[in-house]
């Protein structure tokens, strides 16, 4: 039986691969994003079974089904609470709650074997998204007006957002700064919380642009970015705990 893992948290993916190996399951590949998965499905023969995380680094895994017809059975892996999991049961979709338990994994595989390739037929992607109260609402890019021109900036090319002199600015990784028609308060819910964090009133930083984190006075932290050098960026004391959790 061939198995594919689609999981953006690489330690979790490696752990699941080891667990499946102990159960004599052949993992053909491990993928980490919607884009990577779509490309893989277009180029490869589809496996018997997919272990699929719902929230991937570049969006919801449901976007995969909107771009390719997946000819595999699916077991979702999720950290959603017991109330949200009712949605899976209503759609007759199998799932495993993270962190995945060895016995539950084995039971799910036994169930899959008994219903070989039957578990994925006919589940309604949009209905499942609705019941889970999910949407692809996070911005993937921003449109910035520069003179008479409009410039598109992908979130992967952003270092940070910051406020200064009553204006809100986007700093790109190429060092260009752009004035925005929005406040940090309005921007914050539009940004994927896996990628961005508001460290204080004036700064929202992108995780992959952090170069150093230094202990600062009064139990605060100083964050240094790869592409922003103008001012100190201090994590406010009341945000230090959640900031550390976000880093993990």
């Amino acid at each position: 039986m061939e198995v594919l893992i689609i999981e953006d948290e690489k330690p979790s993916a490696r752990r699941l691969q080891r667990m499946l190996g102990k159960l004599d399951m052949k993992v053909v590949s491990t993928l980490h994003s919607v884009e990577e998965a779509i490309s893989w499905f277009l180029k490869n023969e589809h496996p018997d079974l997919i272990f699929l995380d719902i929230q991937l680094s570049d969006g919801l895994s449901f976007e995969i089904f909107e771009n390719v017809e997946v000819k595999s059975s699916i077991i979702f892996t999720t950290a959603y609470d017991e109330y949200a999991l009712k949605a899976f049961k209503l759609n007759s979709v199998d799932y495993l709650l993270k962190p995945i338990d060895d016995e539950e994994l084995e039971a799910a595989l036994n169930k899959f074997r008994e219903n070989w390739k039957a578990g994925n037929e006919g589940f309604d992607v949009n209905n499942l998204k609705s019941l889970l109260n999910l949407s692809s609402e996070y911005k993937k890019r921003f449109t910035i007006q520069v003179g008479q021109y409009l410039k598109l900036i992908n979130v992967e090319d952003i270092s940070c957002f910051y406020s200064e002199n009553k204006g809100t600015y986007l700093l790109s990784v190429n060092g260009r700064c752009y004035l925005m028609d929005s406040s940090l308060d309005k921007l914050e819910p539009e940004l994927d919380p896996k990628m961005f964090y508001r460290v204080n009133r004036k700064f929202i930083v992108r995780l992959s642009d952090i170069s150093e984190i230094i202990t600062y006075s009064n139990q605060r932290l100083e964050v240094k970015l790869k592409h922003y050098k103008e001012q100190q960026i201090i994590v406010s004391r009341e945000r230090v705990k959640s900031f550390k959790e976000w880093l993990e």
Side-chain angles (χ1 to χ4, degrees):
M1 185 188 301
E2 293 189 338
V3 177
L4 175 69
I5 297 172
I6 306 178
E7 163 68 69
D8 69 329
E9 297 177 358
K10 293 184 180 181
S12 296
R14 289 193 293 267
R15 179 174 180 270
L16 178 56
Q17 185 168 1
R18 288 194 298 269
M19 293 170 73
L20 290 168
K22 293 177 182 177
L23 297 170
D24 297 322
M25 306 294 288
K26 181 184 177 183
V27 177
V28 294
S29 188
T30 301
L31 310 174
H32 306 293
S33 68
V34 172
E35 184 178 358
E36 190 179 9
I38 291 171
S39 176
W40 191 92
F41 281 119
L42 292 173
K43 298 174 184 176
N44 295 275
E45 185 175 342
H46 295 193
D48 302 304
L49 179 63
I50 302 168
F51 285 88
L52 179 63
D53 190 12
I54 290 179
Q55 181 70 60
L56 299 173
S57 59
D58 58 345
L60 298 171
S61 59
F62 298 116
E63 294 176 34
I64 298 168
F65 308 113
E66 295 168 0
N67 288 273
V68 293
E69 183 182 356
V70 177
K71 302 173 183 178
S72 307
S73 290
I74 295 167
I75 296 177
F76 285 99
T77 59
T78 176
Y80 286 93
D81 62 34
E82 59 184 288
Y83 300 104
L85 293 177
K86 290 179 182 177
F88 290 102
K89 294 175 182 177
L90 288 170
N91 278 259
S92 300
V93 176
D94 206 358
Y95 65 89
L96 289 170
L97 189 61
K98 294 181 181 181
I100 296 172
D101 177 80
D102 290 277
E103 292 182 3
E104 291 178 355
L105 175 61
E106 190 167 3
L109 289 172
N110 289 336
K111 179 180 175 182
F112 167 72
R113 290 188 183 99
E114 292 171 6
N115 303 286
W116 187 265
K117 292 191 176 181
N120 186 41
E121 293 184 6
F123 89 83
D124 188 330
V125 172
N126 291 323
N127 188 41
L128 192 54
K129 284 170 68 174
S130 176
L131 287 167
L132 284 167
N133 194 27
L134 296 171
S135 65
S136 302
E137 61 187 18
Y138 299 126
K139 287 269 197 179
K140 291 184 171 62
R141 65 192 61 83
F142 287 87
T143 304
I144 308 294
Q145 184 161 357
V146 183
Q148 296 179 316
Y149 299 92
L150 294 178
K151 183 176 181 63
L152 295 177
I153 302 177
N154 295 325
V155 292
E156 294 83 4
D157 298 323
I158 296 171
S159 167
C160 66
F161 299 91
Y162 65 93
S163 61
E164 187 176 84
N165 298 326
K166 298 183 179 181
T168 302
Y169 298 87
L170 179 159
L171 178 70
S172 68
V173 295
N174 64 10
R176 292 288 304 275
C177 187
Y178 302 95
L179 179 65
M180 304 191 68
D181 296 324
S182 187
S183 66
L184 292 185
D185 288 339
K186 290 182 179 179
L187 281 171
E188 191 173 2
E190 296 180 336
L191 299 167
D192 185 343
K194 285 190 173 185
M195 297 177 67
F196 293 91
Y197 186 86
R198 188 168 184 175
V199 295
N200 57 38
R201 288 187 305 105
K202 296 182 64 176
F203 283 92
I204 297 175
V205 302
R206 187 163 66 94
L207 177 60
S208 57
D209 204 62
I210 295 175
S211 60
E212 292 181 314
I213 301 169
I214 305 167
T215 55
Y216 198 69
S217 62
N218 295 324
Q219 300 179 329
R220 294 176 295 170
L221 297 172
E222 180 182 359
V223 174
K224 290 186 178 293
L225 301 180
K226 298 173 185 175
H227 300 94
Y228 181 86
K229 311 295 181 184
E230 301 302 316
Q231 303 177 44
Q232 281 186 308
I233 303 175
I234 306 298
V235 183
S236 57
R237 188 165 53 184
E238 63 271 16
R239 293 175 183 255
V240 166
K241 182 179 179 182
S242 62
F243 175 70
K244 288 180 177 178
E245 291 172 351
W246 175 71
L247 291 172
E248 297 173 358

